Amino acid sequence: MSVGRLVSVLLLLQSRGRTPAQGIADALGVSVRTAYRDLARLQAAGVPVYAEPGRAGGYQLVDGYRTRLTGMSPGEARAVFFAGLPGAAADLGIASEVAAARLKLLAALPAELGEQAQRSAAVFHLDAPAWYREPERTPYLTLFVDAALTRRVVDVRYRRWRAPQEVRRRLRPYGLVLKSGVWYLVAAAEGRTGTYRISQVLDAVTGDERFDRPPDFDLGAYWASYLDDFEARRHTGTATVRLSPQGRRRLPDNVPPEVVRAVDSTATAVGEDGWVEAVIPTESTAHACGELLRLGVDVEVVAPDELRRAMAATVGVLARTYGLHADGRGPGDADG
């Protein structure tokens, strides 16, 4: 049973008034049977829901009954959307508002639903950042949040990966995205919408100029399209590799998921020792070389020749660094 869905039924009845079970089911995307069960659970929890028979009948709350969502400030109302994201709430500077909003929400629920909500909160925890990475410094994050909400432009000095690395932009913030513990700003600048890593903002000042966000702009749809475009631009080539059984098992810990999927979909057996040959996507020769070297002797590059030569050259430098000859002997080893 979803506590959130029960609250949705309650708020639906509160806002619409008398509603048939089919109408509740359609609004929440559940079956009519589920809607009936949810209504019965609300009644059992002490919510005064009653049925009005007849063709124009339906379910409604006793006149005058309202949920007790009172006394919430605008900041606390916004904070509700981050109630399940304590780390994100702290980044945004609204951790105390989240705590206050959760207490008021719990106080507004019937006792049984409040207890269930607390049990649910006790068994879930979100830790967004990836392993082996320090949290990024984002001193201007709250500034961008405020600018996006108030529709004010922001003048920034930004560090990017291509030359010239430092650029100045006047941004019109449309929204923010938290991806794997990294905050991104989606904003319009110079006639186009772009994505900016907030940790790379060197300076930011909010201006007095206001802007109108396009009414048809959808942040979620934009981000999905951006990710698709990023993947298409990132992988510019392919490589044919051979992997030992051990190398294939080690793949998920050493290469991105798309490389693992490519191996799974293209692998063909070579020989009787469990080795397979597969075609994988690559970004660049240097990047692919560094990535594949993590697998050591459990991978062999078959093609392209440029990548094969890069692997051989790197292994040769490593051998010389550790004082080994091509046959693996050290400089002090004697023939036996």
Side-chain angles (χ1 to χ4, degrees):
M1 175 181 62
S2 168
V3 174
R5 194 176 67 240
L6 293 184
V7 175
S8 296
V9 174
L10 178 57
L11 294 178
L12 184 68
L13 294 175
Q14 181 173 294
S15 61
R16 289 188 181 181
R18 185 183 304 163
T19 307
Q22 183 66 60
I24 295 172
D26 292 342
L28 301 182
V30 298
S31 68
V32 176
R33 179 177 295 181
T34 297
Y36 280 128
R37 283 201 300 264
D38 289 345
L39 289 162
R41 286 170 179 142
L42 283 175
Q43 291 171 327
V47 177
V49 179
Y50 71 95
E52 186 74 27
R55 294 184 61 183
Y59 287 84
Q60 66 185 71
L61 298 170
V62 169
D63 289 344
Y65 179 85
R66 305 286 292 178
T67 56
R68 298 187 302 277
L69 295 177
T70 57
M72 295 186 73
S73 69
E76 290 169 350
R78 286 202 303 266
V80 169
F81 294 100
F82 295 93
L85 304 171
D91 289 346
L92 295 170
I94 57 174
S96 61
E97 292 174 309
V98 165
R102 290 181 67 178
L103 287 173
K104 291 177 181 179
L105 282 171
L106 288 172
L109 293 172
E112 180 186 344
L113 299 185
E115 291 173 4
Q116 293 180 22
Q118 287 180 310
R119 286 200 299 268
S120 297
V123 298
F124 290 101
H125 177 72
L126 176 65
D127 185 10
W131 290 101
Y132 314 119
R133 186 169 64 195
E134 290 291 329
E136 295 189 340
R137 292 185 65 255
T138 54
Y140 298 106
L141 178 60
T142 55
L143 179 148
F144 287 120
V145 172
D146 183 68
L149 291 170
T150 59
R151 304 287 197 268
R152 296 172 66 187
V153 301
V154 181
D155 292 310
V156 304
R157 184 164 60 93
Y158 185 75
R159 179 174 55 225
R160 60 183 185 176
W161 63 271
R162 66 178 184 274
Q165 285 195 302
E166 282 195 18
V167 295
R168 292 186 179 275
R169 294 283 187 269
R170 170 158 286 195
L171 303 179
R172 293 167 175 79
Y174 287 171
L176 295 100
V177 176
L178 179 62
K179 169 73 170 176
S180 300
V182 178
W183 283 100
Y184 294 90
L185 174 72
V186 177
E190 300 180 347
R192 60 180 293 273
T193 303
T195 303
Y196 301 84
R197 190 164 180 158
I198 293 182
S199 64
Q200 298 303 303
V201 174
L202 304 176
D203 292 301
V205 178
T206 305
D208 295 327
E209 180 186 335
R210 304 274 179 163
F211 66 91
D212 291 324
R213 173 172 157 164
D216 58 347
F217 179 78
D218 184 312
L219 182 61
Y222 168 86
W223 186 254
S225 175
Y226 171 78
L227 292 181
D228 290 342
D229 181 64
F230 176 77
E231 289 298 326
R233 288 185 288 107
R234 186 160 70 96
H235 294 127
T236 58
T238 61
T240 302
V241 298
R242 289 181 177 172
L243 294 158
S244 71
Q246 174 69 4
R248 195 168 180 183
R249 284 192 294 270
R250 293 173 56 202
L251 274 180
D253 295 326
N254 291 281
V255 300
E258 55 269 22
V259 175
V260 178
R261 290 195 296 268
V263 170
D264 290 341
S265 62
T266 65
T268 56
V270 286
E272 299 180 355
D273 52 2
W275 281 67
V276 297
E277 186 171 290
V279 178
I280 62 172
T282 59
E283 293 187 35
S284 65
T285 297
H287 185 272
C289 181
E291 207 165 64
L292 293 173
L293 281 171
R294 300 173 189 168
L295 299 173
V297 296
D298 291 309
V299 65
E300 176 191 352
V301 173
V302 178
D305 288 340
E306 181 183 8
L307 179 55
R308 187 176 173 90
R309 289 194 298 270
M311 295 281 286
T314 305
V315 172
V317 170
L318 288 172
R320 290 193 294 274
T321 299
Y322 290 101
L324 297 177
H325 298 294
D327 60 2
R329 292 181 302 152
D333 293 343
D335 293 330

PDB file of all heavy atoms in Angstrom, residues 241 243 248 251 255 257-268 276-281:
ATOM      1  N   VAL A 241      38.026  -5.824 -29.477  1.00  0.00           N
ATOM      2  CA  VAL A 241      38.882  -6.314 -28.397  1.00  0.00           C
ATOM      3  C   VAL A 241      38.595  -7.783 -28.131  1.00  0.00           C
ATOM      4  O   VAL A 241      37.535  -8.307 -28.484  1.00  0.00           O
ATOM      5  CB  VAL A 241      38.647  -5.507 -27.095  1.00  0.00           C
ATOM      6  CG1 VAL A 241      38.993  -4.046 -27.295  1.00  0.00           C
ATOM      7  CG2 VAL A 241      37.207  -5.659 -26.614  1.00  0.00           C
ATOM      8  N   LEU A 243      38.644 -10.538 -24.859  1.00  0.00           N
ATOM      9  CA  LEU A 243      38.592 -10.542 -23.400  1.00  0.00           C
ATOM     10  C   LEU A 243      38.642 -11.961 -22.869  1.00  0.00           C
ATOM     11  O   LEU A 243      37.966 -12.851 -23.394  1.00  0.00           O
ATOM     12  CB  LEU A 243      37.304  -9.880 -22.916  1.00  0.00           C
ATOM     13  CG  LEU A 243      37.148  -8.375 -23.193  1.00  0.00           C
ATOM     14  CD1 LEU A 243      35.687  -7.998 -23.171  1.00  0.00           C
ATOM     15  CD2 LEU A 243      37.934  -7.574 -22.168  1.00  0.00           C
ATOM     16  N   ARG A 248      36.191 -10.277 -18.661  1.00  0.00           N
ATOM     17  CA  ARG A 248      34.769  -9.974 -18.848  1.00  0.00           C
ATOM     18  C   ARG A 248      34.077  -9.792 -17.498  1.00  0.00           C
ATOM     19  O   ARG A 248      33.201  -8.940 -17.353  1.00  0.00           O
ATOM     20  CB  ARG A 248      34.114 -11.084 -19.650  1.00  0.00           C
ATOM     21  CG  ARG A 248      32.751 -10.708 -20.192  1.00  0.00           C
ATOM     22  CD  ARG A 248      32.247 -11.688 -21.213  1.00  0.00           C
ATOM     23  NE  ARG A 248      30.944 -11.285 -21.707  1.00  0.00           N
ATOM     24  CZ  ARG A 248      30.222 -11.983 -22.576  1.00  0.00           C
ATOM     25  NH1 ARG A 248      30.706 -13.122 -23.068  1.00  0.00           N
ATOM     26  NH2 ARG A 248      29.043 -11.545 -22.979  1.00  0.00           N
ATOM     27  N   LEU A 251      34.795  -6.276 -16.159  1.00  0.00           N
ATOM     28  CA  LEU A 251      34.335  -5.128 -16.957  1.00  0.00           C
ATOM     29  C   LEU A 251      33.493  -4.127 -16.172  1.00  0.00           C
ATOM     30  O   LEU A 251      33.769  -2.923 -16.208  1.00  0.00           O
ATOM     31  CB  LEU A 251      33.545  -5.624 -18.175  1.00  0.00           C
ATOM     32  CG  LEU A 251      34.328  -5.978 -19.438  1.00  0.00           C
ATOM     33  CD1 LEU A 251      33.361  -6.437 -20.520  1.00  0.00           C
ATOM     34  CD2 LEU A 251      35.147  -4.795 -19.925  1.00  0.00           C
ATOM     35  N   VAL A 255      34.881  -0.158 -16.650  1.00  0.00           N
ATOM     36  CA  VAL A 255      34.458   0.588 -17.837  1.00  0.00           C
ATOM     37  C   VAL A 255      33.008   1.032 -17.669  1.00  0.00           C
ATOM     38  O   VAL A 255      32.270   0.477 -16.841  1.00  0.00           O
ATOM     39  CB  VAL A 255      34.607  -0.255 -19.127  1.00  0.00           C
ATOM     40  CG1 VAL A 255      36.060  -0.660 -19.342  1.00  0.00           C
ATOM     41  CG2 VAL A 255      33.715  -1.493 -19.071  1.00  0.00           C
ATOM     42  N   PRO A 257      28.904   1.541 -18.298  1.00  0.00           N
ATOM     43  CA  PRO A 257      27.873   0.536 -18.602  1.00  0.00           C
ATOM     44  C   PRO A 257      27.656   0.314 -20.086  1.00  0.00           C
ATOM     45  O   PRO A 257      27.377  -0.812 -20.511  1.00  0.00           O
ATOM     46  CB  PRO A 257      26.612   1.127 -17.942  1.00  0.00           C
ATOM     47  CG  PRO A 257      27.120   2.019 -16.871  1.00  0.00           C
ATOM     48  CD  PRO A 257      28.399   2.583 -17.387  1.00  0.00           C
ATOM     49  N   GLU A 258      27.803   1.372 -20.914  1.00  0.00           N
ATOM     50  CA  GLU A 258      27.565   1.191 -22.344  1.00  0.00           C
ATOM     51  C   GLU A 258      28.598   0.275 -22.984  1.00  0.00           C
ATOM     52  O   GLU A 258      28.303  -0.421 -23.957  1.00  0.00           O
ATOM     53  CB  GLU A 258      27.524   2.543 -23.066  1.00  0.00           C
ATOM     54  CG  GLU A 258      28.737   3.422 -22.863  1.00  0.00           C
ATOM     55  CD  GLU A 258      28.599   4.368 -21.682  1.00  0.00           C
ATOM     56  OE1 GLU A 258      27.782   4.069 -20.787  1.00  0.00           O
ATOM     57  OE2 GLU A 258      29.309   5.384 -21.658  1.00  0.00           O
ATOM     58  N   VAL A 259      29.813   0.250 -22.427  1.00  0.00           N
ATOM     59  CA  VAL A 259      30.833  -0.665 -22.944  1.00  0.00           C
ATOM     60  C   VAL A 259      30.487  -2.101 -22.550  1.00  0.00           C
ATOM     61  O   VAL A 259      30.626  -3.030 -23.350  1.00  0.00           O
ATOM     62  CB  VAL A 259      32.231  -0.277 -22.420  1.00  0.00           C
ATOM     63  CG1 VAL A 259      33.277  -1.302 -22.868  1.00  0.00           C
ATOM     64  CG2 VAL A 259      32.607   1.116 -22.916  1.00  0.00           C
ATOM     65  N   VAL A 260      30.017  -2.285 -21.331  1.00  0.00           N
ATOM     66  CA  VAL A 260      29.603  -3.615 -20.878  1.00  0.00           C
ATOM     67  C   VAL A 260      28.457  -4.128 -21.747  1.00  0.00           C
ATOM     68  O   VAL A 260      28.459  -5.291 -22.182  1.00  0.00           O
ATOM     69  CB  VAL A 260      29.171  -3.585 -19.403  1.00  0.00           C
ATOM     70  CG1 VAL A 260      28.696  -4.967 -18.949  1.00  0.00           C
ATOM     71  CG2 VAL A 260      30.325  -3.114 -18.520  1.00  0.00           C
ATOM     72  N   ARG A 261      27.489  -3.255 -22.028  1.00  0.00           N
ATOM     73  CA  ARG A 261      26.354  -3.666 -22.870  1.00  0.00           C
ATOM     74  C   ARG A 261      26.821  -4.031 -24.274  1.00  0.00           C
ATOM     75  O   ARG A 261      26.310  -4.978 -24.887  1.00  0.00           O
ATOM     76  CB  ARG A 261      25.314  -2.544 -22.931  1.00  0.00           C
ATOM     77  CG  ARG A 261      24.567  -2.317 -21.628  1.00  0.00           C
ATOM     78  CD  ARG A 261      23.323  -1.462 -21.848  1.00  0.00           C
ATOM     79  NE  ARG A 261      23.666  -0.121 -22.310  1.00  0.00           N
ATOM     80  CZ  ARG A 261      23.862   0.911 -21.508  1.00  0.00           C
ATOM     81  NH1 ARG A 261      23.744   0.758 -20.191  1.00  0.00           N
ATOM     82  NH2 ARG A 261      24.153   2.108 -21.990  1.00  0.00           N
ATOM     83  N   ALA A 262      27.787  -3.281 -24.804  1.00  0.00           N
ATOM     84  CA  ALA A 262      28.295  -3.576 -26.146  1.00  0.00           C
ATOM     85  C   ALA A 262      28.972  -4.935 -26.188  1.00  0.00           C
ATOM     86  O   ALA A 262      28.808  -5.699 -27.152  1.00  0.00           O
ATOM     87  CB  ALA A 262      29.268  -2.481 -26.585  1.00  0.00           C
ATOM     88  N   VAL A 263      29.728  -5.259 -25.140  1.00  0.00           N
ATOM     89  CA  VAL A 263      30.378  -6.580 -25.082  1.00  0.00           C
ATOM     90  C   VAL A 263      29.320  -7.678 -25.012  1.00  0.00           C
ATOM     91  O   VAL A 263      29.394  -8.686 -25.722  1.00  0.00           O
ATOM     92  CB  VAL A 263      31.339  -6.665 -23.880  1.00  0.00           C
ATOM     93  CG1 VAL A 263      31.818  -8.106 -23.676  1.00  0.00           C
ATOM     94  CG2 VAL A 263      32.529  -5.735 -24.080  1.00  0.00           C
ATOM     95  N   ASP A 264      28.328  -7.481 -24.165  1.00  0.00           N
ATOM     96  CA  ASP A 264      27.283  -8.498 -24.022  1.00  0.00           C
ATOM     97  C   ASP A 264      26.533  -8.742 -25.330  1.00  0.00           C
ATOM     98  O   ASP A 264      26.113  -9.869 -25.611  1.00  0.00           O
ATOM     99  CB  ASP A 264      26.285  -8.072 -22.938  1.00  0.00           C
ATOM    100  CG  ASP A 264      26.883  -8.123 -21.541  1.00  0.00           C
ATOM    101  OD1 ASP A 264      27.905  -8.819 -21.373  1.00  0.00           O
ATOM    102  OD2 ASP A 264      26.340  -7.470 -20.639  1.00  0.00           O
ATOM    103  N   SER A 265      26.367  -7.700 -26.137  1.00  0.00           N
ATOM    104  CA  SER A 265      25.566  -7.844 -27.357  1.00  0.00           C
ATOM    105  C   SER A 265      26.369  -8.268 -28.572  1.00  0.00           C
ATOM    106  O   SER A 265      25.793  -8.734 -29.563  1.00  0.00           O
ATOM    107  CB  SER A 265      24.839  -6.527 -27.664  1.00  0.00           C
ATOM    108  OG  SER A 265      25.775  -5.482 -27.909  1.00  0.00           O
ATOM    109  N   THR A 266      27.707  -8.125 -28.537  1.00  0.00           N
ATOM    110  CA  THR A 266      28.509  -8.439 -29.724  1.00  0.00           C
ATOM    111  C   THR A 266      29.522  -9.562 -29.512  1.00  0.00           C
ATOM    112  O   THR A 266      30.212  -9.940 -30.454  1.00  0.00           O
ATOM    113  CB  THR A 266      29.265  -7.192 -30.222  1.00  0.00           C
ATOM    114  OG1 THR A 266      30.226  -6.778 -29.226  1.00  0.00           O
ATOM    115  CG2 THR A 266      28.299  -6.043 -30.499  1.00  0.00           C
ATOM    116  N   ALA A 267      29.621 -10.072 -28.275  1.00  0.00           N
ATOM    117  CA  ALA A 267      30.663 -11.060 -27.978  1.00  0.00           C
ATOM    118  C   ALA A 267      30.477 -12.356 -28.760  1.00  0.00           C
ATOM    119  O   ALA A 267      29.375 -12.901 -28.841  1.00  0.00           O
ATOM    120  CB  ALA A 267      30.672 -11.363 -26.476  1.00  0.00           C
ATOM    121  N   THR A 268      31.581 -12.827 -29.345  1.00  0.00           N
ATOM    122  CA  THR A 268      31.608 -14.139 -30.003  1.00  0.00           C
ATOM    123  C   THR A 268      32.837 -14.895 -29.491  1.00  0.00           C
ATOM    124  O   THR A 268      33.891 -14.291 -29.240  1.00  0.00           O
ATOM    125  CB  THR A 268      31.697 -14.006 -31.532  1.00  0.00           C
ATOM    126  OG1 THR A 268      32.858 -13.212 -31.880  1.00  0.00           O
ATOM    127  CG2 THR A 268      30.448 -13.322 -32.091  1.00  0.00           C
ATOM    128  N   VAL A 276      36.557 -14.146 -25.617  1.00  0.00           N
ATOM    129  CA  VAL A 276      35.558 -13.681 -26.579  1.00  0.00           C
ATOM    130  C   VAL A 276      36.101 -12.459 -27.305  1.00  0.00           C
ATOM    131  O   VAL A 276      37.005 -11.765 -26.809  1.00  0.00           O
ATOM    132  CB  VAL A 276      34.220 -13.321 -25.902  1.00  0.00           C
ATOM    133  CG1 VAL A 276      33.589 -14.535 -25.249  1.00  0.00           C
ATOM    134  CG2 VAL A 276      34.396 -12.183 -24.907  1.00  0.00           C
ATOM    135  N   GLU A 277      35.545 -12.207 -28.467  1.00  0.00           N
ATOM    136  CA  GLU A 277      35.870 -11.004 -29.232  1.00  0.00           C
ATOM    137  C   GLU A 277      34.612 -10.156 -29.347  1.00  0.00           C
ATOM    138  O   GLU A 277      33.519 -10.679 -29.590  1.00  0.00           O
ATOM    139  CB  GLU A 277      36.393 -11.375 -30.620  1.00  0.00           C
ATOM    140  CG  GLU A 277      36.900 -10.176 -31.424  1.00  0.00           C
ATOM    141  CD  GLU A 277      37.615 -10.611 -32.700  1.00  0.00           C
ATOM    142  OE1 GLU A 277      38.723 -11.180 -32.577  1.00  0.00           O
ATOM    143  OE2 GLU A 277      37.049 -10.394 -33.804  1.00  0.00           O
ATOM    144  N   ALA A 278      34.769  -8.845 -29.156  1.00  0.00           N
ATOM    145  CA  ALA A 278      33.602  -7.962 -29.161  1.00  0.00           C
ATOM    146  C   ALA A 278      33.983  -6.593 -29.711  1.00  0.00           C
ATOM    147  O   ALA A 278      35.172  -6.228 -29.764  1.00  0.00           O
ATOM    148  CB  ALA A 278      33.032  -7.819 -27.751  1.00  0.00           C
ATOM    149  N   VAL A 279      32.975  -5.832 -30.105  1.00  0.00           N
ATOM    150  CA  VAL A 279      33.163  -4.465 -30.597  1.00  0.00           C
ATOM    151  C   VAL A 279      32.601  -3.508 -29.549  1.00  0.00           C
ATOM    152  O   VAL A 279      31.445  -3.658 -29.122  1.00  0.00           O
ATOM    153  CB  VAL A 279      32.453  -4.256 -31.943  1.00  0.00           C
ATOM    154  CG1 VAL A 279      32.620  -2.806 -32.414  1.00  0.00           C
ATOM    155  CG2 VAL A 279      33.010  -5.216 -32.993  1.00  0.00           C
ATOM    156  N   ILE A 280      33.405  -2.539 -29.127  1.00  0.00           N
ATOM    157  CA  ILE A 280      32.999  -1.603 -28.081  1.00  0.00           C
ATOM    158  C   ILE A 280      33.085  -0.168 -28.588  1.00  0.00           C
ATOM    159  O   ILE A 280      33.880   0.139 -29.483  1.00  0.00           O
ATOM    160  CB  ILE A 280      33.873  -1.755 -26.824  1.00  0.00           C
ATOM    161  CG1 ILE A 280      35.336  -1.426 -27.142  1.00  0.00           C
ATOM    162  CG2 ILE A 280      33.739  -3.161 -26.235  1.00  0.00           C
ATOM    163  CD1 ILE A 280      36.238  -1.352 -25.924  1.00  0.00           C
ATOM    164  N   PRO A 281      32.282   0.744 -28.034  1.00  0.00           N
ATOM    165  CA  PRO A 281      32.387   2.166 -28.398  1.00  0.00           C
ATOM    166  C   PRO A 281      33.577   2.808 -27.707  1.00  0.00           C
ATOM    167  O   PRO A 281      33.933   2.430 -26.587  1.00  0.00           O
ATOM    168  CB  PRO A 281      31.066   2.752 -27.898  1.00  0.00           C
ATOM    169  CG  PRO A 281      30.695   1.880 -26.737  1.00  0.00           C
ATOM    170  CD  PRO A 281      31.175   0.489 -27.085  1.00  0.00           C
TER     171      PRO A 281
END
